[in-house]
Short mmCIF file of all heavy atoms in Angstrom, two decimals:
data_model
loop_
_atom_site.label_atom_id
_atom_site.label_comp_id
_atom_site.label_asym_id
_atom_site.label_seq_id
_atom_site.Cartn_x
_atom_site.Cartn_y
_atom_site.Cartn_z
N GLN G 1050 -18.69 3.45 78.83
CA GLN G 1050 -20.15 3.41 78.91
C GLN G 1050 -20.71 2.56 77.77
O GLN G 1050 -20.44 2.82 76.59
CB GLN G 1050 -20.74 4.82 78.83
CG GLN G 1050 -22.24 4.83 79.10
CD GLN G 1050 -22.84 6.21 79.12
OE1 GLN G 1050 -22.40 7.10 78.40
NE2 GLN G 1050 -23.86 6.40 79.94
N GLU G 1064 -18.33 3.63 74.83
CA GLU G 1064 -17.61 4.89 74.60
C GLU G 1064 -16.61 5.07 75.73
O GLU G 1064 -16.96 4.94 76.91
CB GLU G 1064 -18.57 6.09 74.58
CG GLU G 1064 -17.81 7.41 74.41
CD GLU G 1064 -18.69 8.65 74.28
OE1 GLU G 1064 -19.91 8.57 74.53
OE2 GLU G 1064 -18.14 9.72 73.91
N ALA G 1065 -15.37 5.35 75.37
CA ALA G 1065 -14.33 5.63 76.36
C ALA G 1065 -14.44 7.10 76.77
O ALA G 1065 -14.41 7.98 75.92
CB ALA G 1065 -12.95 5.36 75.76
N LEU G 1066 -14.59 7.34 78.07
CA LEU G 1066 -14.73 8.71 78.57
C LEU G 1066 -13.61 9.02 79.55
O LEU G 1066 -13.40 8.28 80.52
CB LEU G 1066 -16.11 8.90 79.21
CG LEU G 1066 -17.25 8.82 78.18
CD1 LEU G 1066 -18.56 8.45 78.82
CD2 LEU G 1066 -17.37 10.14 77.40
N LEU G 1067 -12.91 10.09 79.28
CA LEU G 1067 -11.71 10.42 80.04
C LEU G 1067 -12.05 10.95 81.43
O LEU G 1067 -12.97 11.76 81.58
CB LEU G 1067 -10.91 11.47 79.25
CG LEU G 1067 -9.54 11.88 79.81
CD1 LEU G 1067 -8.60 10.68 79.95
CD2 LEU G 1067 -8.91 12.93 78.89
N ARG G 1068 -11.32 10.47 82.42
CA ARG G 1068 -11.48 10.93 83.81
C ARG G 1068 -10.13 11.38 84.34
O ARG G 1068 -9.11 10.79 84.02
CB ARG G 1068 -12.01 9.78 84.67
CG ARG G 1068 -13.40 9.28 84.26
CD ARG G 1068 -14.44 10.34 84.55
NE ARG G 1068 -15.78 9.97 84.13
CZ ARG G 1068 -16.38 10.40 83.03
NH1 ARG G 1068 -15.74 11.21 82.19
NH2 ARG G 1068 -17.61 10.07 82.76
N PRO G 1079 -14.60 16.24 82.69
CA PRO G 1079 -13.99 16.56 81.40
C PRO G 1079 -14.47 17.90 80.84
O PRO G 1079 -13.71 18.59 80.17
CB PRO G 1079 -14.39 15.40 80.49
CG PRO G 1079 -15.30 14.54 81.25
CD PRO G 1079 -15.28 14.93 82.68
N SER G 1080 -15.70 18.28 81.14
CA SER G 1080 -16.19 19.57 80.64
C SER G 1080 -15.34 20.72 81.18
O SER G 1080 -15.29 21.79 80.60
CB SER G 1080 -17.65 19.77 81.06
OG SER G 1080 -17.76 19.66 82.47
N ILE G 1083 -11.05 19.42 79.65
CA ILE G 1083 -10.78 19.26 78.20
C ILE G 1083 -10.55 20.63 77.53
O ILE G 1083 -9.58 20.79 76.78
CB ILE G 1083 -11.91 18.47 77.49
CG1 ILE G 1083 -11.97 17.02 78.01
CG2 ILE G 1083 -11.73 18.50 75.97
CD1 ILE G 1083 -10.95 16.06 77.48
N GLU G 1087 -7.24 21.71 75.56
CA GLU G 1087 -7.27 22.17 74.17
C GLU G 1087 -6.55 23.51 74.02
O GLU G 1087 -5.72 23.69 73.13
CB GLU G 1087 -8.72 22.27 73.67
CG GLU G 1087 -9.33 20.90 73.43
CD GLU G 1087 -10.83 20.93 73.12
OE1 GLU G 1087 -11.50 21.91 73.50
OE2 GLU G 1087 -11.31 19.96 72.52
N ILE G 1092 -3.77 18.74 74.85
CA ILE G 1092 -4.71 17.76 74.30
C ILE G 1092 -4.00 16.80 73.33
O ILE G 1092 -4.45 15.65 73.16
CB ILE G 1092 -5.92 18.46 73.60
CG1 ILE G 1092 -7.06 17.47 73.33
CG2 ILE G 1092 -5.49 19.14 72.30
CD1 ILE G 1092 -7.74 16.92 74.54
N VAL G 1099 -5.12 8.68 75.33
CA VAL G 1099 -6.49 8.14 75.28
C VAL G 1099 -6.57 7.07 74.19
O VAL G 1099 -7.08 5.97 74.42
CB VAL G 1099 -7.53 9.26 75.03
CG1 VAL G 1099 -8.91 8.68 74.72
CG2 VAL G 1099 -7.62 10.21 76.23
N ASN G 1123 -13.38 9.76 71.83
CA ASN G 1123 -13.59 11.17 71.47
C ASN G 1123 -12.29 11.79 70.98
O ASN G 1123 -11.24 11.60 71.59
CB ASN G 1123 -14.10 11.94 72.68
CG ASN G 1123 -15.49 11.49 73.08
OD1 ASN G 1123 -16.47 11.84 72.43
ND2 ASN G 1123 -15.57 10.70 74.14
N VAL G 1124 -12.39 12.54 69.91
CA VAL G 1124 -11.21 13.20 69.35
C VAL G 1124 -11.50 14.70 69.20
O VAL G 1124 -12.49 15.08 68.58
CB VAL G 1124 -10.86 12.58 67.97
CG1 VAL G 1124 -9.73 13.34 67.31
CG2 VAL G 1124 -10.50 11.11 68.12
N SER G 1125 -10.65 15.53 69.78
CA SER G 1125 -10.80 16.98 69.65
C SER G 1125 -10.43 17.43 68.24
O SER G 1125 -9.58 16.81 67.59
CB SER G 1125 -9.86 17.70 70.62
OG SER G 1125 -10.31 17.56 71.92
N GLN G 1128 -6.76 18.05 67.76
CA GLN G 1128 -6.04 16.77 67.71
C GLN G 1128 -6.21 16.11 66.34
O GLN G 1128 -5.25 15.57 65.78
CB GLN G 1128 -6.65 15.90 68.82
CG GLN G 1128 -6.06 14.53 69.01
CD GLN G 1128 -6.93 13.69 69.96
OE1 GLN G 1128 -7.91 14.18 70.54
NE2 GLN G 1128 -6.57 12.44 70.12
N GLU G 1155 -15.12 9.57 67.58
CA GLU G 1155 -16.21 10.54 67.71
C GLU G 1155 -15.65 11.95 67.53
O GLU G 1155 -14.82 12.40 68.31
CB GLU G 1155 -16.88 10.41 69.09
CG GLU G 1155 -17.58 9.07 69.27
CD GLU G 1155 -18.54 9.05 70.46
OE1 GLU G 1155 -18.71 10.09 71.13
OE2 GLU G 1155 -19.12 7.99 70.71
N ASP G 1184 -20.43 13.41 66.74
CA ASP G 1184 -20.89 13.50 68.13
C ASP G 1184 -21.74 14.77 68.32
O ASP G 1184 -21.56 15.75 67.58
CB ASP G 1184 -19.66 13.56 69.04
CG ASP G 1184 -19.95 13.09 70.45
OD1 ASP G 1184 -21.13 12.85 70.79
OD2 ASP G 1184 -18.98 12.96 71.22
N ASP G 1185 -22.62 14.74 69.30
CA ASP G 1185 -23.42 15.92 69.68
C ASP G 1185 -24.13 16.53 68.47
O ASP G 1185 -24.26 17.75 68.37
CB ASP G 1185 -22.52 17.00 70.32
CG ASP G 1185 -21.76 16.46 71.52
OD1 ASP G 1185 -22.24 15.52 72.15
OD2 ASP G 1185 -20.69 17.00 71.81
N LYS G 1208 -27.55 14.61 73.68
CA LYS G 1208 -28.45 14.26 74.79
C LYS G 1208 -29.43 15.37 75.16
O LYS G 1208 -30.46 15.11 75.75
CB LYS G 1208 -27.65 13.80 76.01
CG LYS G 1208 -26.72 14.79 76.65
CD LYS G 1208 -26.19 14.15 77.96
CE LYS G 1208 -25.18 15.01 78.66
NZ LYS G 1208 -23.89 15.10 77.95
N GLN G 1212 -33.03 13.91 76.03
CA GLN G 1212 -33.55 14.03 77.39
C GLN G 1212 -34.86 14.80 77.46
O GLN G 1212 -35.51 14.81 78.49
CB GLN G 1212 -32.49 14.65 78.30
CG GLN G 1212 -31.27 13.71 78.34
CD GLN G 1212 -30.32 14.01 79.45
OE1 GLN G 1212 -30.14 15.17 79.82
NE2 GLN G 1212 -29.68 12.99 79.97
N GLU G 1241 -27.55 9.50 72.64
CA GLU G 1241 -26.82 9.53 73.92
C GLU G 1241 -27.71 10.14 75.00
O GLU G 1241 -28.64 10.90 74.70
CB GLU G 1241 -25.50 10.32 73.80
CG GLU G 1241 -25.69 11.81 73.53
CD GLU G 1241 -24.39 12.62 73.55
OE1 GLU G 1241 -23.30 12.06 73.40
OE2 GLU G 1241 -24.52 13.85 73.70
N GLY G 1242 -27.47 9.76 76.23
CA GLY G 1242 -28.19 10.38 77.35
C GLY G 1242 -29.59 9.84 77.59
O GLY G 1242 -30.40 10.52 78.21
N ALA G 1243 -29.87 8.61 77.13
CA ALA G 1243 -31.20 8.03 77.38
C ALA G 1243 -31.27 7.56 78.84
O ALA G 1243 -30.44 6.77 79.28
CB ALA G 1243 -31.47 6.88 76.44
N GLU G 1244 -32.24 8.07 79.56
CA GLU G 1244 -32.31 7.77 81.00
C GLU G 1244 -33.56 7.03 81.42
O GLU G 1244 -33.57 6.37 82.46
CB GLU G 1244 -32.21 9.08 81.80
CG GLU G 1244 -30.85 9.75 81.71
CD GLU G 1244 -30.73 10.96 82.61
OE1 GLU G 1244 -31.72 11.32 83.27
OE2 GLU G 1244 -29.63 11.54 82.65
N GLN G 1261 -27.25 4.85 74.13
CA GLN G 1261 -26.27 4.93 75.23
C GLN G 1261 -26.87 5.85 76.28
O GLN G 1261 -27.43 6.89 75.94
CB GLN G 1261 -24.98 5.52 74.65
CG GLN G 1261 -23.86 5.79 75.64
CD GLN G 1261 -22.69 6.48 74.96
OE1 GLN G 1261 -22.56 6.48 73.73
NE2 GLN G 1261 -21.81 7.07 75.75
N GLY G 1262 -26.78 5.49 77.55
CA GLY G 1262 -27.31 6.38 78.58
C GLY G 1262 -27.42 5.69 79.92
O GLY G 1262 -27.25 4.47 80.01
N TYR G 1263 -27.71 6.48 80.94
CA TYR G 1263 -27.79 5.95 82.30
C TYR G 1263 -28.85 4.86 82.42
O TYR G 1263 -28.80 4.04 83.33
CB TYR G 1263 -28.10 7.08 83.30
CG TYR G 1263 -27.01 8.11 83.46
CD1 TYR G 1263 -27.22 9.27 84.22
CD2 TYR G 1263 -25.76 7.93 82.87
CE1 TYR G 1263 -26.23 10.22 84.38
CE2 TYR G 1263 -24.76 8.88 83.01
CZ TYR G 1263 -25.01 10.04 83.77
OH TYR G 1263 -24.02 10.97 83.92
N TYR G 1264 -29.86 4.87 81.53
CA TYR G 1264 -30.88 3.83 81.57
C TYR G 1264 -30.22 2.45 81.54
O TYR G 1264 -30.64 1.54 82.26
CB TYR G 1264 -31.85 3.97 80.40
CG TYR G 1264 -32.94 2.92 80.41
CD1 TYR G 1264 -34.06 3.06 81.22
CD2 TYR G 1264 -32.83 1.77 79.62
CE1 TYR G 1264 -35.05 2.09 81.25
CE2 TYR G 1264 -33.82 0.79 79.64
CZ TYR G 1264 -34.92 0.96 80.46
OH TYR G 1264 -35.90 -0.01 80.50
N PRO G 1268 -21.01 5.44 82.90
CA PRO G 1268 -19.65 5.04 82.51
C PRO G 1268 -19.02 4.24 83.66
O PRO G 1268 -19.17 4.60 84.81
CB PRO G 1268 -18.93 6.38 82.31
CG PRO G 1268 -20.02 7.38 82.04
CD PRO G 1268 -21.19 6.90 82.86
P1 C2E X 2789 -19.70 13.31 74.92
O1 C2E X 2789 -18.67 12.71 74.04
O2 C2E X 2789 -20.93 13.83 74.28
O3 C2E X 2789 -20.02 12.18 75.98
C1 C2E X 2789 -21.29 11.92 76.52
C2 C2E X 2789 -21.42 12.53 77.89
O4 C2E X 2789 -22.73 12.30 78.37
C3 C2E X 2789 -20.48 11.91 78.94
O5 C2E X 2789 -20.13 12.95 79.85
C4 C2E X 2789 -21.39 10.88 79.60
O6 C2E X 2789 -20.96 10.53 80.90
C5 C2E X 2789 -22.67 11.65 79.62
N1 C2E X 2789 -23.85 10.79 79.70
C6 C2E X 2789 -24.03 9.58 79.13
N2 C2E X 2789 -25.25 9.09 79.39
C7 C2E X 2789 -25.88 10.02 80.15
C8 C2E X 2789 -27.18 10.10 80.73
O7 C2E X 2789 -28.02 9.21 80.62
N3 C2E X 2789 -27.47 11.23 81.44
C9 C2E X 2789 -26.56 12.25 81.58
N4 C2E X 2789 -26.91 13.32 82.30
N5 C2E X 2789 -25.32 12.21 81.04
C10 C2E X 2789 -24.99 11.10 80.34
P2 C2E X 2789 -18.65 13.12 80.39
O8 C2E X 2789 -18.03 11.79 80.60
O9 C2E X 2789 -18.70 14.08 81.51
O10 C2E X 2789 -17.90 13.80 79.16
C11 C2E X 2789 -18.25 15.07 78.74
C12 C2E X 2789 -17.58 15.41 77.43
O11 C2E X 2789 -16.17 15.50 77.57
C13 C2E X 2789 -17.80 14.38 76.34
O12 C2E X 2789 -19.09 14.51 75.80
C14 C2E X 2789 -16.69 14.74 75.40
O13 C2E X 2789 -17.04 15.83 74.61
C15 C2E X 2789 -15.59 15.17 76.35
N6 C2E X 2789 -14.64 14.05 76.51
C16 C2E X 2789 -14.71 12.98 77.33
N7 C2E X 2789 -13.64 12.16 77.17
C17 C2E X 2789 -12.88 12.75 76.20
C18 C2E X 2789 -11.63 12.39 75.57
O14 C2E X 2789 -11.01 11.34 75.81
N8 C2E X 2789 -11.15 13.27 74.62
C19 C2E X 2789 -11.83 14.40 74.28
N9 C2E X 2789 -11.29 15.20 73.35
N10 C2E X 2789 -12.99 14.74 74.84
C20 C2E X 2789 -13.52 13.93 75.79
#
Side-chain angles (χ1 to χ4, degrees):
Q1050 188 176 34
E1064 177 176 12
L1066 293 157
L1067 185 58
R1068 298 291 178 258
S1080 56
I1083 295 281
E1087 287 172 337
I1092 194 67
V1099 169
N1123 293 284
V1124 174
S1125 288
Q1128 182 190 355
E1155 295 195 2
D1184 204 352
D1185 304 333
K1208 63 172 176 290
Q1212 298 195 326
E1241 66 174 20
E1244 292 186 357
Q1261 176 185 343
Y1263 294 173
Y1264 181 81

